[in-house]
Amino acid sequence: MKMKTVTVDFYAMDASDDFDFSALLRKVGQLSPDERTNTVKGGPFRLEHVEKVRSAYDGELVRIRMDYGPAKASLTKGGLEAIPLRDDEGVGEETAFLYHADLNVLLLQRNRIGATGTSFVSYFNSHNDGANAFGMAPVLELDGLMRLNEMQEFRQFEVEVAGIDLAAFHDDKDRYTWKELQRIRERSGAPRVALTLSMGHQRGSLDPSYIRSMSRTFMNVVADSVDSKSVTSLKLRGKDDVEDMAVIDLLNFRMIESISFPWHDRRLTYDARRSALREAFSKRETELRKMYGQRKKAS
């Protein structure tokens, strides 16, 4: 019996208190298929399904690949045959999601050629008059979040990358700094570049707000390039509330679930992927409710 594994990433919505993602989901879901199709990062996307079940919304976002035409091949004879597609047709890459409005948490099926966290945000913001009404940040496991919050002094920040999208940096100075480091990497021929900020033997702490901001930036890069391994190390070293030196490897604390189940067909159906996301949530529900609680009554 063949087994299929669906990997699920967890995100926390980042928006003002008056923004209601549930309302935006319903608004887009009521549009015609043509109106639901918008071109954002990665090409055309369309919300294919959305359904409210109690306080949660099941849905699916499809990337329509117009630049790719698959060929059909046989196991018993040579040659390839083009699969006919009309000018207005492409290959649909499906990505299921599950949004829990009471926690403001989104679960997204990992599909490297479908919708990523960034394209998900861009697509729905494009249906909100183009306004950047919300973003998403990877959820850290409760243990990692507690250790990060308990860190009083940041003595060292360390990151190593193989390549990075400079658009991840919102501060122009940070974008310029990283561009220079990337230029050094390219000129030297080094496959990776590492940056270490350290207090050394000097007393005190690195700027906590800046270090937390940089940590979020690189975690967002990780979340949007889960298969490219662009960020290979992200560690913080500092003192907690009992003056013990602690090292936090943030990459090890990102909340991820892998759900395996029997697979009998060539195509993984939406129902199967939706069930996988629900199972992933059930495994983490207690932990998520401890971290996020009842945000508000779900609409």
Side-chain angles (χ1 to χ4, degrees):
M1 178 183 297
K2 292 192 298 183
M3 298 294 291
K4 183 68 175 179
T5 299
V6 171
T7 301
V8 180
D9 294 302
F10 293 71
Y11 296 90
M13 291 289 187
D14 182 13
S16 61
D17 291 338
D18 59 354
F19 175 72
D20 186 355
F21 183 63
S22 303
L24 183 56
L25 267 178
R26 293 193 301 271
K27 170 189 170 182
V28 180
Q30 292 168 359
L31 300 175
S32 68
D34 179 61
E35 292 173 321
R36 292 200 305 270
T37 304
N38 271 6
T39 297
V40 294
K41 295 181 180 180
F45 287 82
R46 181 174 65 238
L47 178 65
E48 195 68 20
H49 304 286
V50 64
E51 176 187 8
K52 184 179 181 183
V53 181
R54 293 184 292 278
S55 64
Y57 289 81
D58 294 303
E60 178 159 70
L61 191 60
V62 176
R63 176 189 174 195
I64 306 171
R65 297 183 64 188
M66 303 300 294
D67 59 343
Y68 173 65
K72 183 169 60 175
S74 169
L75 291 174
T76 58
K77 60 181 181 180
L80 297 172
E81 182 180 345
I83 298 175
L85 295 171
R86 298 196 309 266
D87 289 343
D88 64 341
E89 293 179 328
V91 177
E93 303 290 356
E94 304 154 300
T95 305
F97 65 87
L98 174 63
Y99 174 61
H100 273 267
D102 56 340
L103 300 174
N104 212 19
V105 167
L106 180 101
L107 281 67
L108 191 67
Q109 172 201 351
R110 185 180 295 181
N111 180 358
R112 64 182 180 84
I113 52 178
T116 64
T118 295
S119 56
F120 185 95
V121 169
S122 296
Y123 172 80
F124 282 101
N125 275 330
S126 74
H127 280 286
N128 193 50
D129 299 324
N132 294 323
F134 78 102
M136 298 195 311
V139 172
L140 291 181
E141 294 175 340
L142 181 58
D143 183 41
L145 187 63
M146 291 177 63
R147 292 179 63 182
L148 185 61
N149 289 339
E150 289 169 358
M151 190 167 281
Q152 308 268 322
E153 284 187 10
F154 290 94
R155 299 289 301 170
Q156 184 170 299
F157 171 87
E158 175 188 308
V159 62
E160 181 181 283
V161 303
I164 197 166
D165 183 357
L166 298 176
F169 295 96
H170 299 294
D171 189 306
D172 287 337
K173 292 181 180 179
D174 289 335
R175 190 180 296 116
Y176 175 80
T177 299
W178 199 258
K179 185 176 181 179
E180 290 301 305
L181 290 173
Q182 291 290 67
R183 184 176 299 167
I184 292 171
R185 179 185 69 83
E186 292 168 1
R187 291 196 63 180
S188 66
R192 291 189 175 93
V193 60
L195 172 67
T196 300
L197 305 175
S198 175
M199 294 299 297
H201 297 293
Q202 185 173 321
R203 298 174 67 87
S205 171
L206 300 169
D207 186 326
S209 62
Y210 181 73
I211 295 304
R212 292 180 192 276
S213 173
M214 286 289 284
S215 298
R216 287 193 298 270
T217 295
F218 284 107
M219 284 299 291
N220 287 337
V221 171
V222 173
D224 204 47
S225 55
V226 289
D227 293 312
S228 69
K229 307 296 183 185
S230 60
V231 180
T232 56
S233 179
L234 182 57
K235 296 179 181 179
L236 301 173
R237 182 173 177 267
K239 295 182 179 181
D240 60 21
D241 55 357
V242 292
E243 292 298 313
D244 288 330
M245 194 61 68
V247 177
I248 304 175
D249 187 343
L250 290 179
L251 298 188
N252 289 337
F253 284 109
R254 187 157 171 250
M255 187 175 286
I256 298 169
E257 282 292 339
S258 295
I259 307 299
S260 298
F261 48 87
W263 187 36
H264 305 287
D265 199 356
R266 292 188 179 187
R267 181 169 174 263
L268 192 58
T269 66
Y270 168 57
D271 286 342
R273 290 177 288 110
R274 179 175 58 179
S275 296
L277 264 65
R278 290 177 176 177
E279 183 178 343
F281 177 77
S282 69
K283 289 186 174 185
R284 295 286 190 164
E285 181 174 5
T286 299
E287 189 175 356
L288 288 168
R289 293 198 181 281
K290 284 181 180 178
M291 290 191 290
Y292 297 103
Q294 292 294 116
R295 179 180 66 105
K296 63 180 181 179
K297 185 177 180 182
S299 58

